[in-house]
């Protein structure tokens, strides 16, 4: 990514820029477990993910081979074309779609077990499914949510980070800016002048209701530029990519696997990724999305 999750870390790293306030809600968790299996986008390996209920205050945490990797900005590791979490030499890759769905639907606390068919792997990857967050949202809705309880049987208040002053980071012609606002609002833009079928796109909306996320953001799929596929594969990336789990656009021929679900589906998918990355600011079952207006432009490369 041109500006990665670390950019968001730099954006909000000063505690003076953020104040934590009550949302007026109680922390939630899943009412049951959900499970999904499939091919991972970059490794090409098959993995299985089981998301289970968790105690209030526990937040969201990945687990594999009896090792725990919290879904926290403190554990982000720089990696190309995906968001990676690591701790004690163990890595979980491509977490952004699942975390986006969990954050947007209000799953504040859960344990996420990832199992790879290769038992000795210290590096696992969440399956790409159809390239969107839609299947995760459907699975979450299938089991429903409940108020989370801590080890003493008590419920806990859900807090949210409020942005107190404008902040920004940039790199070359990419930037992320955030402004104080009374609600969560995300605007994102992408620009692919060498690929006319994509071109310059913008998507902007408040993210106040999970029904809007389910309908307008979750179905949007990841995408790549056809002319760059071989270069990415030679770098050990997108080994599991296909026309079934990603939109592919040629600079000369346009979209190779239409139809698109939205006119600006690539840009909407960027918003999906941003929500997943911002979810990493959650702590102890709080909301990760900052209450503010986040604006990101040309945040990713040719693939997101």
């Amino acid at each position: 990514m041109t500006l990665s999750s670390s950019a968001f870390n730099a954006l909000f790293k000063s505690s003076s820029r953020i104040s934590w306030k009550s949302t007026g809600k109680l922390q939630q968790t899943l009412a049951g477990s959900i499970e999904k299996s499939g091919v991972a986008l970059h490794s090409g390996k098959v993995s299985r993910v089981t998301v289970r209920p968790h105690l209030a205050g526990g937040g969201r945490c990945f687990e594999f081979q009896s090792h725990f990797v919290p879904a926290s900005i403190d554990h982000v590791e720089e990696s190309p074309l995906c968001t990676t979490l690591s701790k004690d030499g163990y890595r979980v890759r491509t977490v952004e779609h699942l975390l986006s769905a969990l954050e947007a639907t209000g799953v504040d606390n859960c344990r996420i077990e990832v199992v790879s068919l290769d038992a000795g792997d210290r590096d696992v990857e969440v399956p790409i499914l159809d390239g969107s967050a839609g299947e995760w949202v459907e699975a979450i809705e299938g089991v429903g949510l409940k108020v989370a309880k801590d080890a003493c049987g008590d419920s806990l208040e859900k807090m949210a980070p409020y942005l107190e002053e404008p902040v920004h980071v940039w790199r070359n012609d990419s930037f992320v800016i955030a402004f104080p606002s009374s609600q969560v609002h995300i605007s994102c833009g992408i620009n692919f002048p060498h690929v006319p079928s994509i071109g310059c796109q913008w998507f902007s909306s408040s993210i106040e209701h999970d029904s809007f996320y389910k309908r307008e953001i979750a179905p949007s799929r990841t995408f790549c530029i056809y002319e760059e596929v071989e270069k990415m594969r030679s770098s050990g990336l997108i080994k599991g990519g296909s026309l079934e789990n990603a939109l592919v656009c040629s600079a000369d021929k346009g979209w190779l696997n239409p139809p698109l679900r939205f006119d600006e589906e690539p840009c909407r998918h960027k918003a999906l990724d941003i929500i997943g990355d911002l979810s990493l600011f959650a702590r102890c079952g709080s909301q990760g999305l900052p209450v503010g207006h986040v604006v990101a432009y040309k945040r990713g490369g040719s693939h997101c």
Side-chain angles (χ1 to χ4, degrees), residues 234-280:
S234 66
S235 299
L237 300 168
I238 65 167
K239 295 178 180 178
S242 72
L243 294 175
E244 282 68 50
N245 58 32
L247 290 168
V248 182
C249 192
S250 167
D252 297 324
K253 300 178 181 179
W255 294 105
L256 303 186
N257 53 340
L260 272 64
R261 294 172 180 172
F262 309 97
D263 289 341
E264 70 285 75
E265 186 170 354
C267 198
R268 292 186 187 227
H269 186 81
K270 285 293 186 181
L272 186 160
D273 283 343
I274 290 171
I275 293 169
D277 285 346
L278 290 173
S279 77
L280 296 169

Side-chain angles (χ1 to χ4, degrees), residues 86-260:
S86 67
K87 184 181 180 184
D88 301 329
Y90 288 83
R91 296 178 181 84
V92 188
R93 294 202 293 170
T94 318
V95 300
E96 56 268 35
H97 299 173
L98 172 55
L99 290 179
S100 180
L102 293 170
E103 176 75 14
T105 57
V107 183
D108 308 309
N109 304 279
C110 62
R111 291 175 61 174
I112 308 164
E113 181 185 20
V114 186
V115 177
S116 171
L117 293 185
D118 293 342
D121 276 352
R122 295 170 66 93
D123 187 328
V124 296
E125 188 174 356
V126 175
I128 191 64
L129 303 179
D130 74 342
S132 77
E135 291 188 40
W136 291 118
V137 172
E138 290 177 4
I140 292 165
E141 288 192 337
V143 298
L145 304 181
K146 65 179 182 180
V147 173
K149 305 285 186 177
D150 64 14
C152 298
D154 298 322
S155 57
L156 296 179
E157 190 175 31
K158 181 175 180 176
M159 308 295 285
Y162 279 71
L163 188 63
E164 297 295 337
E165 62 183 62
V167 291
H168 67 276
V169 292
W170 73 91
R171 183 183 301 161
N172 299 323
D173 60 350
S174 300
F175 63 80
V176 182
I177 305 173
F179 305 92
S181 174
S182 60
Q183 60 184 352
V184 177
H185 196 110
I186 291 176
S187 299
C188 59
I190 58 174
N191 191 12
F192 291 82
H194 60 296
V195 187
S197 293
I198 300 178
C200 184
Q201 302 180 4
W202 280 92
F203 176 77
S204 182
S205 178
S206 60
I207 314 294
E208 290 296 305
H209 303 289
D210 56 4
S211 60
F212 177 86
Y213 175 88
K214 175 188 176 182
R215 185 179 66 252
E216 304 292 340
I217 296 176
S220 56
R221 294 160 292 177
T222 191
F223 69 96
C224 69
I225 309 306
Y226 174 75
E227 287 79 7
E228 300 180 4
V229 167
E230 288 307 314
K231 179 181 178 181
M232 289 188 284
R233 283 187 169 161
S234 66
S235 299
L237 300 168
I238 65 167
K239 295 178 180 178
S242 72
L243 294 175
E244 282 68 50
N245 58 32
L247 290 168
V248 182
C249 192
S250 167
D252 297 324
K253 300 178 181 179
W255 294 105
L256 303 186
N257 53 340
L260 272 64

